Amino acid sequence: MHLNPYGEYAVLLAASLADDWPEDRAGIVERTREFGMTMRFSAEPGDHAGVREVIDDWLRVVDAHEPDERAALLNTEMAAAAAYPRLTDHDGEGWHLHYRDEKAGVAAVLRAVISVGTSLHLVTRGMHRLHRCESDPCTHVVVDVTRNGRQRYCSVRCANRAAVRRHRAASHPVKR
Ligand SMILES: [Zn+2]
Ligand SMILES: [Zn+2]
């Protein structure tokens, strides 16, 4: 498991867990595999609830709109979760950095990886590049990795729905 320079996979993993919460621990581990994490985790009884807490804390960062507030929340997360970085070359992945203790369970690992990855994403791409989909009532998370950094919707479907709504508002203006 490693973080690319932009921390992208960790933020996308967090968004995936937030948007489509797995019903058990196995589902969480499977999701980490889908996003490229290769390490085994020791199973602990509170894993499922523990990761839910990590995601709920992360959603507070998503919903914090001021950069100062985002930074403060992420700094708290990193202080709690991220150990000193260390170099590792496990599972034939090539040398890369880990940000937590080697024996941590899945909740602690995800708290470290997601908080560091989100911080890297925001400082590299821009502090505003993380928010909820703007197509009401959709609450999906948008991790904006586009070139221009103006992604407003989580999907083409939501973008289309918003466009239809704008069109209706324009062709049927409210009478005064
Ligand atoms: Zn690794
Ligand atoms: Zn949406």
Side-chain angles (χ1 to χ4, degrees):
M1 163 189 58
H2 60 281
L3 295 170
N4 66 27
Y6 300 117
E8 208 162 288
Y9 92 87
V11 198
L12 294 171
L13 169 62
S16 167
L17 289 170
D19 291 346
D20 180 17
W21 176 239
E23 57 187 37
D24 55 20
R25 181 188 185 279
I28 293 170
V29 174
E30 197 182 303
R31 197 71 58 82
T32 67
R33 303 283 175 253
E34 282 168 30
F35 282 80
M37 294 173 73
T38 58
M39 291 206 70
R40 311 276 138 208
F41 308 105
S42 53
E44 287 164 30
D47 279 345
H48 191 249
V51 175
R52 183 65 247 181
E53 214 173 285
V54 171
I55 296 303
D56 287 339
D57 289 344
W58 182 75
L59 285 171
R60 291 172 60 214
V61 176
V62 173
D63 291 329
H65 295 295
E66 294 306 316
D68 284 355
E69 194 187 348
R70 290 202 147 161
L73 288 168
L74 284 166
N75 282 341
T76 305
E77 293 281 300
M78 288 190 286
Y84 57 86
R86 61 202 87 197
L87 288 161
T88 175
D89 68 345
H90 69 88
D91 295 314
E93 277 194 27
W95 288 100
H96 60 283
L97 279 171
H98 275 185
Y99 294 89
R100 39 78 187 171
D101 295 317
E102 296 300 332
K103 286 181 187 135
V106 65
V109 169
L110 289 185
R111 191 177 287 279
V113 164
I114 288 170
S115 58
V116 174
T118 301
S119 300
L120 284 171
H121 168 75
L122 295 174
V123 295
T124 313
R125 300 237 191 219
M127 290 300 281
H128 65 287
R129 280 168 173 257
L130 181 67
H131 56 86
R132 302 276 186 167
C133 177
E134 290 179 24
S135 180
D136 192 50
C138 178
T139 57
H140 284 166
V141 177
V142 176
V143 177
D144 188 350
V145 295
T146 61
R147 184 188 279 265
N148 65 15
R150 290 197 207 106
Q151 187 183 344
R152 297 172 63 188
Y153 309 106
C154 71
S155 60
V156 173
R157 193 164 160 263
C158 275
N160 288 343
R161 191 168 57 189
V164 168
R165 204 175 288 154
R166 271 197 307 276
H167 176 77
R168 276 203 202 113
S171 46
H172 306 286
V174 179
K175 300 233 166 69
R176 301 179 189 228

